[in-house]
Amino acid sequence: MVTVKQVQSKSDLKDFVKFPFSLYKGSPYWVPPIIKDEMESFDKSKNPVFENAEAEFFLAYKDNKIVGRIAAIINWLEVNDQGLKKMRFGWFDFVDDLEVSKALLDKVWEIGVANQLNYMEGPVGFSNLDKVGVLIEGFDHIGTMITWYNHPYYQKHYEHHGLVKEKEYLENKFPAANADPKLFEKANELIKKRYGLREMNFEKSADIMPWVDKMFDLFNESYARLSSFVRITDIQKEYFKKKYISFINPEFIKFVVDEEDNLVAFAIVMPSFSEALQKANGKLFPFGVFHLLNAKKNSKDVIFYLIGIHPKYQNKGVTAIIFNEYHYTFKKRGVVNCIRTPELEENMAIRQMWKHFDPVTHKRRRTYKKEL
């Protein structure tokens, strides 16, 4: 018999965070989070997302052993500002037992009905900067620090319990050598001249900080039309600024500004921390921090984390400026592979942007939906 209990204590929350460590023990593809960071992201006194969202966390037990977990989330910005009466769920992991996955989904269902919401969708996080989607293809590729990995049986569970495909996300990669400068060097100069634009490169994180709020404003503006988008609030900007910007190599952040220094485009690339996180196995100390610092300095794989372009400049070739700058940075750093974060299948603008680099789709993931 399966028993589901709500997470109440810090000890329960640690069990919630650590469950996948046993579920994926020995997997060469699963990338563990840093336990301390994961705990903090669920701490309602530390993560500002809880200003506009609420979450309940559940653990499933069978024979006194933890066999599954789920987070039930309501983002009130989404519900009230956008009128999307959606019950979110994420961090959904379970052994291959249909009774376990059903018991956890039933908890989400109950909360959604109690709050008079219309449907449930997952796996998703609190906002657009969180992980998204259950992996349905590409199980033999290593995960990243910004995606979930899961066993192949997960899809069967979603569909068995009556959830249907809602959104599909593609993950692509290409060799850095495919970014042939002949494709964008000439366009780079033409676009800059035509629109009065210039690139901005950075050597220190401190030089980026004054621009970060503008970057998140542009992020909100760039993605507002996408069906899954929930804007980032001012308090979240401060949180992400402190948590992430100093972690990214300054030369991997590129801005494009107009003649009045208005930000019109940005891109953030991260070194791949996947193998370093596997070595750290959830702990920064004593050696985890050294693995991460080594990856930050020496990783030959990079992840295109975010790209934002002002709607006024979309489809006008502004990305040629960004890619021209990355070409020089990647060449200097000896970057070999470029990996992209999950992108909505319906986002044709982003797919057009990458087409010249001959990307290969190596993973697919989905969110699933069920009416309440």
Side-chain angles (χ1 to χ4, degrees):
M1 182 178 166
V2 177
T3 306
V4 176
K5 295 179 182 174
Q6 187 175 349
V7 168
Q8 300 282 9
S9 65
K10 194 169 182 179
S11 171
D12 291 342
L13 189 60
K14 197 162 193 178
D15 288 341
F16 182 93
V17 168
K18 290 182 78 172
F19 171 64
F21 284 77
S22 58
L23 189 65
Y24 295 102
K25 190 174 182 180
S27 168
Y29 309 115
W30 180 67
V31 174
I34 296 298
I35 293 167
K36 179 177 176 286
D37 284 355
E38 194 88 330
M39 293 279 288
E40 285 185 2
S41 71
F42 298 140
D43 186 331
K44 294 171 188 181
S45 68
K46 291 183 179 174
N47 189 341
V49 77
F50 290 107
E51 294 274 320
N52 298 291
E54 60 185 81
E56 293 179 31
F57 307 97
F58 297 94
L59 288 166
Y61 295 81
K62 196 168 189 178
D63 300 325
N64 293 316
K65 184 182 172 187
I66 297 172
V67 287
R69 68 171 189 171
I70 200 165
I73 303 158
I74 303 174
N75 186 314
W76 290 110
L77 281 179
E78 186 172 53
V79 174
N80 297 325
D81 292 10
Q82 296 177 239
L84 285 176
K85 295 192 176 295
K86 177 162 90 180
M87 182 74 220
R88 292 173 164 243
F89 66 90
W91 291 273
F92 184 31
D93 290 290
F94 44 88
V95 298
D96 192 6
D97 182 330
L98 290 166
E99 188 186 0
V100 171
S101 52
K102 181 178 187 302
L104 289 164
L105 287 168
D106 283 350
K107 285 294 176 188
V108 178
W109 170 282
E110 288 166 17
I111 294 166
V113 169
N115 283 278
Q116 299 180 307
L117 301 176
N118 293 340
Y119 66 98
M120 54 195 271
E121 183 186 352
V124 293
F126 301 107
S127 77
N128 297 79
L129 292 180
D130 286 318
K131 300 175 183 181
V132 67
V134 60
L135 195 63
I136 59 166
E137 284 178 22
F139 301 101
D140 56 347
H141 292 272
I142 193 167
T144 71
M145 71 181 290
I146 47 181
T147 54
W148 281 308
Y149 182 81
N150 56 265
H151 289 304
Y153 62 75
Y154 278 38
Q155 182 179 1
K156 172 189 77 178
H157 283 245
Y158 280 86
E159 293 172 2
H160 179 86
H161 298 312
L163 284 88
V164 296
K165 172 187 164 183
E166 171 63 2
K167 300 181 187 77
E168 188 138 336
Y169 296 81
L170 310 179
E171 287 178 62
N172 295 273
K173 63 179 180 178
F174 57 89
N178 283 15
D180 185 344
K182 291 198 293 287
L183 294 169
F184 40 77
E185 271 180 340
K186 192 175 177 184
N188 163 54
E189 292 305 325
L190 285 170
I191 300 299
K192 285 197 287 191
K193 194 172 179 182
R194 181 180 298 165
Y195 300 111
L197 304 176
R198 66 180 174 86
E199 71 280 353
M200 287 186 72
N201 290 298
F202 301 95
E203 292 181 5
K204 298 177 189 169
S205 298
D207 295 335
I208 300 166
M209 290 302 182
W211 291 86
V212 174
D213 285 355
K214 292 176 185 177
M215 184 187 75
F216 281 123
D217 288 340
L218 181 54
F219 174 79
N220 281 340
E221 211 163 350
S222 302
Y223 290 89
R225 288 182 236 168
L226 291 180
S227 58
S228 61
F229 188 72
V230 182
R231 68 182 173 85
I232 294 170
T233 64
D234 289 345
I235 195 166
Q236 285 175 275
K237 290 175 197 172
E238 288 302 312
Y239 176 73
F240 289 123
K241 193 189 297 186
K242 287 174 187 163
K243 189 170 181 182
Y244 294 115
I245 297 301
S246 61
F247 208 64
I248 299 167
N249 305 34
E251 66 266 44
F252 282 176
I253 296 179
K254 308 292 183 187
F255 289 171
V256 179
V257 296
D258 66 13
E259 290 169 316
E260 295 169 358
D261 280 350
N262 296 308
L263 190 62
V264 302
F266 75 90
I268 298 177
V269 165
M270 299 170 66
S272 173
F273 291 103
S274 298
E275 290 180 11
L277 285 165
Q278 287 181 330
K279 289 173 185 171
N281 198 32
K283 294 174 183 172
L284 283 175
F285 301 103
F287 303 117
V289 69
F290 295 109
H291 295 308
L292 293 170
L293 288 171
N294 182 52
K296 181 178 177 180
K297 189 177 177 183
N298 298 311
S299 178
K300 301 306 176 193
D301 294 347
V302 296
I303 298 168
F304 275 84
Y305 180 43
L306 285 178
I307 289 186
I309 300 169
H310 192 285
K312 182 180 160 186
Y313 289 92
Q314 287 174 9
N315 302 314
K316 290 187 175 173
V318 175
T319 48
I321 305 171
I322 291 171
F323 290 136
N324 193 60
E325 297 309 308
Y326 276 126
H327 169 68
Y328 294 117
T329 302
F330 291 170
K331 194 173 178 183
K332 187 173 95 176
R333 294 287 298 256
V335 169
V336 175
N337 294 304
C338 299
I339 302 157
R340 282 155 47 201
T341 48
E343 292 158 353
L344 271 171
E345 189 177 38
E346 69 196 47
N347 190 345
M348 296 308 294
I350 205 96
R351 290 170 72 182
Q352 283 292 108
M353 190 173 79
W354 296 107
K355 66 180 181 182
H356 298 298
F357 304 131
D358 295 327
V360 173
T361 299
H362 64 298
K363 295 180 193 172
R364 286 179 179 265
R365 57 183 67 242
R366 282 181 189 163
T367 61
Y368 279 86
K369 174 180 177 179
K370 190 172 187 177
E371 301 295 327
L372 296 177

